[in-house]
Amino acid sequence: MTVCITSFAFAAPAFVFVAPAFAFAFAFVSGDGGLARMLPTARRRCVSAAASSSSSSSSDTSVSGPKKSGIVASFNQVVRSAKSDPGNVVMNMGAILSLSGFMMSDVMHLRALSVCGSICGITFNISRKPPQYNAVMWGLVFVSVNVYHLYHLYLERTEDMTFNSNEMLLYTCHFQDWGVEPWQFKKLVKLDGCQFRSYKKGQVVVRDGQPLDHVLMVVRGEVSAEDPNVTSGSQPPLYTYRGDGRNGCVIGGTALVDSTVRSRKYPNRITAAEDNTCVVTWDTDKLASVMSNDKEIESAVLHALYVELIQGLRRDRKNKKHTGLHVDQMTDTLLEFDKMVKSAIKDASTERSKKGVWIKLRPEQKKSIRLYALDERITTSQRENLLSKYGWTLDEWDDGAKLTVAA
């Protein structure tokens, strides 16, 4: 009953626009015995009108009665036809209901209005003389099919809608705001292969170097994308995924819009960055199938992918900017280091011996250069390359002295 009332409420705008057209069509077709007798009837009316006009003009004492407008006359004609054959009214109402059903975006409303329209059609065909049993049987077939599907839709939408904590968190953060109803979301999490998994900090969520045939969404906590060539946790992550909706939360979602990436190996290692991190996984093909059949779910998933795309672009821009700043900073650091080394060599003392001339660095300058290299994280190879420019080796620099052969 609730479904029918809701369906009629949605169909109200259709009645406003369609009902007048059907009323006039009904009056045109059904008036005075139907369309087959329309032209003879019109001819008789014209002859009668002409005779009445002639009689009125010849008699000065005749009094003309009030003339009815065309709309009033048409309405009266509809009322008379409805009284003479109520089946026509029922048939037209059924047509309006069926047409209204096709305006519904909800399939349950569509089927409910189609059932009402078919019942009106059955009533019309039974009221004919003789009754149109063939049309009645086909109407019953349509009613049966729609009632069957309505029953299953009702069961689907009224089943237990309780969610556990992870499901509720996922629904409220990523699906509810996009018009996904609880029964639609329940269908999504009941898909074969849909799993909620919890991870401790440091556990691997996605291994690198293997094709990824699942779509993952972070529900709670945070996971990190790491360079597979370094030890986990030894360096800052490349980027992160969070489950609170503040940044991207979808892993492997590109395969939903570009199937060519599914055969590629996943480049990074994904590990849990927090304890009690929860991740939900779907089979890519099954999730794509649900998205193609349910536009609300498709909108929600694509929104999450869009957020991930924006976050990816921001990461790339930030990394490029950071890389450029890092290069500039390292250039200035090495220039300063070069200047300090050059000054230390210039201020070094010389001491002659039998083997040659010893060039000895001042201890205070050597110490300041060593501390500067440590503070600025100048690598050993950078030091070695720069010292070779002035003819020194690392061992000689660490000893603080260099022997040169006298000319």
Side-chain angles (χ1 to χ4, degrees):
M1 179 61 69
T2 303
V3 174
C4 294
I5 293 174
T6 307
S7 302
F8 278 112
F10 277 99
F15 279 101
V16 173
F17 293 102
V18 179
F22 270 99
F24 283 108
F26 174 76
F28 179 76
V29 175
S30 302
D32 289 336
L35 183 62
R37 293 161 54 187
M38 180 65 70
L39 293 179
T41 301
R43 189 179 300 112
R44 289 195 301 271
R45 286 178 179 172
C46 290
V47 173
S48 176
S52 177
S53 175
S54 176
S55 175
S56 297
S57 61
S58 61
S59 177
D60 295 335
T61 60
S62 62
V63 180
S64 298
K67 295 183 179 179
K68 295 183 178 180
S69 64
I71 297 178
V72 175
S74 298
F75 177 77
N76 291 335
Q77 186 176 353
V78 170
V79 173
R80 289 194 300 270
S81 300
K83 289 181 178 179
S84 62
D85 189 1
N88 280 321
V89 178
V90 176
M91 182 270 293
N92 284 283
M93 293 299 293
I96 296 175
L97 289 171
S98 297
L99 179 61
S100 301
F102 289 107
M103 299 179 184
M104 301 295 106
S105 58
D106 192 316
V107 67
M108 199 166 187
H109 297 153
L110 186 153
R111 291 191 179 278
L113 289 170
S114 295
V115 167
C116 295
S118 296
I119 291 174
C120 290
I122 292 171
T123 304
F124 170 77
N125 288 305
I126 289 179
S127 66
R128 299 302 91 193
K129 295 181 180 180
Q132 304 297 313
Y133 292 113
N134 187 52
V136 170
M137 294 303 297
W138 277 111
L140 290 173
V141 170
F142 288 127
V143 169
S144 301
V145 171
N146 282 310
V147 168
Y148 171 81
H149 287 288
L150 274 173
Y151 173 71
H152 284 279
L153 286 171
Y154 175 77
L155 292 180
E156 183 180 80
R157 298 189 184 187
T158 57
E159 66 175 340
D160 185 17
M161 288 292 110
T162 57
F163 299 139
N164 59 39
S165 58
N166 291 330
E167 292 173 346
M168 180 58 70
L169 185 62
L170 178 63
Y171 176 67
T172 54
C173 283
H174 301 290
F175 291 92
Q176 186 177 26
D177 292 341
W178 291 92
V180 179
E181 297 293 336
W183 63 269
Q184 293 173 302
F185 179 74
K186 195 69 173 181
K187 182 171 62 176
L188 181 64
V189 296
K190 288 178 64 177
L191 279 177
D192 291 338
C194 177
Q195 295 181 345
F196 287 81
R197 296 177 179 175
S198 296
Y199 297 89
K200 295 181 179 180
K201 184 177 180 179
Q203 280 189 304
V204 177
V205 179
V206 176
R207 298 189 181 278
D208 60 281
Q210 300 176 1
L212 185 62
D213 55 357
H214 286 76
V215 176
L216 295 84
M217 185 175 287
V218 182
V219 180
R220 183 184 60 253
E222 184 178 31
V223 299
S224 303
E226 300 177 337
D227 186 349
N229 298 318
V230 300
T231 305
S232 179
S234 62
Q235 291 186 5
L238 302 175
Y239 45 88
T240 60
Y241 301 90
R242 290 194 60 84
D244 52 15
R246 289 188 298 177
N247 67 345
C249 64
V250 180
I251 305 170
T254 308
L256 294 171
V257 293
D258 183 7
S259 58
T260 60
V261 304
R262 298 180 60 180
S263 58
R264 304 175 189 172
K265 296 179 179 179
Y266 197 75
N268 301 319
R269 179 178 61 244
I270 306 296
T271 59
E274 298 177 359
D275 287 329
N276 200 26
T277 294
C278 181
V279 178
V280 60
T281 62
W282 289 284
D283 180 85
T284 304
D285 291 329
K286 293 178 180 178
L287 179 59
S289 176
V290 172
M291 290 172 59
S292 64
N293 296 325
D294 198 315
K295 296 305 177 184
E296 285 81 8
I297 290 179
E298 182 182 38
S299 298
V301 175
L302 291 181
H303 167 71
L305 288 177
Y306 173 76
V307 172
E308 172 58 28
L309 174 62
I310 296 300
Q311 292 295 330
L313 293 175
R314 289 176 179 172
R315 285 196 301 265
D316 292 342
R317 188 187 310 164
K318 182 178 179 180
N319 290 338
K320 289 179 180 179
K321 184 177 180 180
H322 177 74
T323 302
L325 290 175
H326 183 67
V327 170
D328 292 340
Q329 291 172 355
M330 287 304 299
T331 301
D332 294 339
T333 300
L334 292 176
L335 287 175
E336 181 65 23
F337 185 78
D338 180 88
K339 182 180 178 181
M340 294 174 69
V341 170
K342 184 177 180 180
S343 177
I345 294 174
K346 183 179 179 181
D347 296 339
S349 62
T350 58
E351 185 178 315
R352 291 183 178 273
S353 67
K354 294 181 179 180
K355 296 181 179 180
V357 179
W358 285 95
I359 301 176
K360 295 185 177 181
L361 301 172
R362 292 185 177 182
E364 63 274 10
Q365 286 182 313
K366 183 173 175 293
K367 180 180 179 181
S368 64
I369 293 173
R370 178 175 59 82
L371 293 176
Y372 180 82
L374 290 174
D375 291 339
E376 299 299 332
R377 298 183 179 181
I378 298 175
T379 64
T380 302
S381 60
Q382 289 172 333
R383 291 174 57 212
E384 185 176 13
N385 291 333
L386 195 145
L387 290 173
S388 64
K389 174 182 175 182
Y390 297 101
W392 286 67
T393 65
L394 279 175
D395 291 337
E396 291 172 341
W397 185 266
D398 291 338
D399 292 339
K402 174 185 177 183
L403 178 64
T404 60
V405 180

